[in-house]
Amino acid sequence: MSLVAKKILIAEDSATMRSLIVSTISAMGNYETIEAANGFEALRILPQEKVDLVITDINMPDINGLELVSFIKKNPNYQTTPLFIVSTEGSDRDREKGMALGADAYLVKPFSPVELQSLINKYLG
């Protein structure tokens, strides 16, 4: 087991939802979270931090989550970085669009903290 905490970048414009995700991850131990209030801020953080997982909302100002997913998965530096979408947009079309861009998982809000923890364990555990 590594002593270095894995880093998870959370791009979410809702402070309440960010806080919920951070507390869900904190309860797991051994993970460090980095918060971005929008896609633009996430893009600013990515080159500065070695991120092991990205969790992003879709509906955000400036650069939305789908644009962020597209950028991350097209960039050779981050292509293998797991990425989860968390969104209120739960239609099959939205899910298919997110997964087609390269997301590894798509959670519809409200989601179970256990479901998120299970996915994190699957990809980083």
Side-chain angles (χ1 to χ4, degrees):
M1 185 170 143
S2 171
L3 297 176
V4 178
K6 292 186 176 177
K7 291 183 184 176
I8 300 174
L9 173 62
I10 303 161
E12 167 67 67
D13 62 330
S14 162
T16 304
M17 182 53 71
R18 263 198 330 270
S19 176
L20 177 70
I21 294 171
V22 167
S23 63
T24 297
I25 294 169
S26 294
M28 299 173 72
N30 205 35
Y31 293 109
E32 181 181 327
T33 55
I34 305 166
E35 298 181 48
N38 55 55
F40 190 74
E41 193 175 331
L43 289 177
R44 186 182 56 76
I45 291 169
L46 274 171
Q48 300 171 11
E49 301 277 351
K50 186 196 173 307
V51 174
D52 299 293
L53 170 71
V54 176
I55 299 174
T56 184
D57 185 17
I58 287 181
N59 296 320
M60 296 186 290
D62 301 326
I63 299 171
N64 71 38
L66 292 177
E67 292 167 325
L68 181 63
V69 172
S70 178
F71 172 82
I72 290 172
K73 290 301 180 176
K74 286 181 180 171
N75 186 316
N77 294 330
Y78 313 116
Q79 278 177 339
T80 59
T81 303
L83 189 150
F84 304 162
I85 292 173
V86 292
S87 179
T88 55
E89 308 296 329
S91 74
D92 287 344
R93 194 174 131 248
D94 292 318
R95 183 182 299 267
E96 287 166 10
K97 191 186 243 181
M99 299 304 279
L101 287 172
D104 296 283
Y106 193 109
L107 293 173
V108 177
K109 298 176 192 174
F111 53 85
S112 156
V114 172
E115 188 178 8
L116 178 60
Q117 290 173 339
S118 175
L119 279 170
I120 291 170
N121 280 330
K122 178 180 175 184
Y123 285 91
L124 298 183

